[in-house]
């Protein structure tokens, strides 16, 4: 069961219909597509899921920042109304933020001698992502993955930061749309910033803001990381989720759909059983997910 599947249509790798067919070939019966800051692919995905007899849980992943430290955190929305006006207003705002960020970054990259193929950006599906910007650079002489890490992180020479939504506002918007708000891969986020000691403060800040749960199992999770997040959620009575963090077949550094870098299939089966069966009182309403 793959409850949390990140995809990125704008990388041109898989459209929603192809993604669902791939999920079917992997034996996935429950699928959530959580694109960054957009729900544009959900209607097509739902139509194909009905054909393939797969339960689709509407999903999204918002890029946010916390009130506690201003750190970037990714908030997943699950099982909401994709037509909710407040949520759609936020995704429209996100697209504007992405376009403005793209304009500034491309201008800065050109000042460093980079050549940009703007047709790549003009033909993206959904929201423009950093991956699209990486693909658009013609003379980068490195993989898009390495280029992203060198030029498009908050520590890059460009020093350009995309406007982000406050986590509290995103959580409230997801709730108003009838969904649940989950913090994705918080240990990875903190580890990348060398700030793992902030987990108690970050998690408390998010829970106070109304967060419903955490992604306990992440594609690259160690057993210790799973245990840490499991114990945190257990102590607070929070929803637990897990997933592969799939971003497309050709994406370097990512898991394939329904696969996990850290565990064998048997090991993940044991963990997913704990997560799913251990908190049945917090499970999503699957009937709503297919309505």
């Amino acid at each position: 069961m793959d409850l949390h599947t990140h995809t990125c249509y704008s990388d041109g790798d898989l459209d929603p219909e192809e993604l669902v067919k791939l999920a079917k070939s992997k034996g996935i019966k429950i699928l959530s597509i959580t694109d960054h800051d957009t729900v544009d692919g959900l209607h097509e995905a739902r139509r194909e899921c009905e054909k393939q007899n797969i339960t689709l849980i509407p999903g999204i992943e918002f890029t946010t920042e916390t009130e506690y430290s201003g750190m970037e955190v990714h908030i997943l929305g699950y099982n909401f109304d994709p037509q909710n006006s407040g949520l759609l207003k936020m995704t429209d705002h996100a697209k504007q933020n992405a376009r403005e960020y793209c304009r500034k970054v491309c201008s800065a990259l050109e000042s460093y001698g980079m050549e940009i193929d703007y047709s790549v950006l003009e033909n993206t599906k959904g929201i423009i992502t950093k991956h699209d910007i990486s693909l658009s650079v013609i003379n980068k002489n490195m993989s898009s993955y390495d280029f992203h890490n060198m030029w498009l992180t908050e520590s890059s020479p460009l020093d350009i930061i995309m406007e982000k939504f406050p986590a509290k506002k995103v959580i409230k918007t997801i709730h108003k749309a009838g969904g649940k708000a989950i913090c994705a891969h918080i240990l990875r986020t903190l580890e990348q910033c060398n700030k793992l000691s902030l987990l108690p403060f970050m998690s408390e800040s998010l829970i106070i803001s109304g967060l419903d749960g955490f992604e306990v199992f992440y594609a690259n999770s160690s057993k210790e990381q799973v245990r840490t997040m499991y114990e945190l959620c257990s102590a607070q009575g929070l929803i637990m989720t897990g997933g592969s963090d799939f971003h497309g077949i050709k994406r370097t550094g990512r898991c394939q759909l329904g696969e996990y870098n850290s565990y064998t299939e048997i090991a993940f089966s044991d963990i997913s059983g704990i997560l799913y069966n251990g908190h049945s009182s917090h499970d999503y309403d699957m009937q709503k997910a297919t309505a």
Side-chain angles (χ1 to χ4, degrees):
M1 178 175 63
D2 190 289
L3 280 177
H4 170 197
T5 301
H6 288 238
T7 61
C8 185
Y9 302 135
S10 56
D11 67 9
D13 200 2
L14 286 175
D15 64 23
E17 183 176 336
E18 292 172 331
L19 173 65
V20 173
K21 289 179 179 177
L22 178 61
K24 181 69 172 182
S25 72
K26 298 274 188 175
I28 293 171
K29 293 180 168 55
I30 303 172
L31 176 69
S32 186
I33 299 171
T34 54
D35 263 351
H36 275 277
D37 304 303
T38 182
V39 294
D40 286 353
L42 289 184
H43 179 71
E44 187 177 345
R46 182 185 296 280
R47 192 167 57 238
E48 186 61 29
C49 278
E50 290 173 353
K51 293 180 184 178
Q52 302 295 344
N53 196 29
I54 292 176
T55 298
L56 179 69
I57 300 175
I60 193 170
E61 180 175 20
F62 281 109
T63 304
T64 79
E65 61 182 8
T66 61
E67 292 179 283
Y68 172 72
S69 64
M71 284 185 58
E72 177 176 310
V73 293
H74 293 175
I75 301 296
L76 300 160
Y78 283 123
N79 208 27
F80 52 82
D81 175 9
Q83 299 301 318
N84 178 267
S85 59
L87 187 134
L88 292 177
K89 183 178 180 180
M90 183 166 281
T91 59
D92 286 342
H93 191 178
K95 288 179 183 178
Q96 295 173 9
N97 290 345
R99 284 194 293 267
E100 181 62 16
Y101 174 80
C102 177
R103 183 188 66 78
K104 291 178 180 179
V105 168
C106 288
S107 178
L109 288 173
E110 287 175 328
S111 73
Y112 278 88
M114 306 290 180
E115 298 177 32
I116 309 295
D117 180 357
Y118 284 95
S119 67
V120 172
L121 302 172
E122 292 166 358
N123 293 317
T124 56
K125 300 176 182 178
I127 198 166
I128 296 175
T129 67
K130 291 180 180 180
H131 181 61
D132 296 314
I133 296 174
S134 298
L135 290 175
S136 74
V137 179
I138 300 171
N139 59 336
K140 53 182 174 285
N141 297 320
M142 63 182 76
S143 70
S144 294
Y145 181 78
D146 291 335
F147 183 85
H148 172 276
N149 291 338
M150 180 176 291
W151 290 97
L152 301 177
T153 62
E154 293 188 2
S155 60
S156 79
L158 302 185
D159 193 29
I160 299 173
I161 299 175
M162 185 186 299
E163 181 183 345
K164 304 178 186 71
F165 302 112
K168 186 174 183 178
K169 181 177 181 180
V170 166
I171 293 168
K172 186 176 181 179
T173 298
I174 292 170
H175 286 166
K176 285 187 174 181
K180 301 293 186 182
I182 308 294
C183 180
H185 48 65
I186 189 170
L187 290 180
R188 187 199 74 170
T189 299
L190 293 172
E191 190 173 49
Q192 288 177 332
C193 302
N194 196 28
K195 294 182 178 179
L196 280 171
S197 62
L198 292 181
L199 177 61
F201 306 100
M202 290 279 286
S203 58
E204 181 181 6
S205 173
L206 290 167
I207 292 169
I208 290 173
S209 296
L211 190 77
D212 297 295
F214 288 91
E215 183 177 49
V216 172
F217 185 85
Y218 176 67
N220 294 320
S221 299
S222 67
K223 290 183 179 179
E224 291 73 21
Q225 289 171 328
V226 172
R227 186 179 299 112
T228 295
M229 296 311 300
Y230 176 79
E231 290 175 354
L232 190 158
C233 288
S234 294
Q236 300 286 342
L238 301 172
I239 293 172
M240 304 182 187
T241 68
S244 58
D245 200 11
F246 174 66
H247 272 65
I249 293 173
K250 300 177 182 178
R251 291 292 292 272
T252 303
R254 300 287 184 178
C255 285
Q256 292 303 300
L257 183 63
E259 298 179 11
Y260 305 90
N261 286 343
S262 303
Y263 293 91
T264 64
E265 183 177 352
I266 294 174
F268 175 69
S269 177
D270 293 340
I271 293 168
S272 63
I274 292 172
L275 299 186
Y276 187 69
N277 296 323
H279 281 255
S280 60
S281 62
H282 296 294
D283 289 340
Y284 300 111
D285 185 337
M286 297 306 176
Q287 294 301 317
K288 280 187 177 180
T290 56

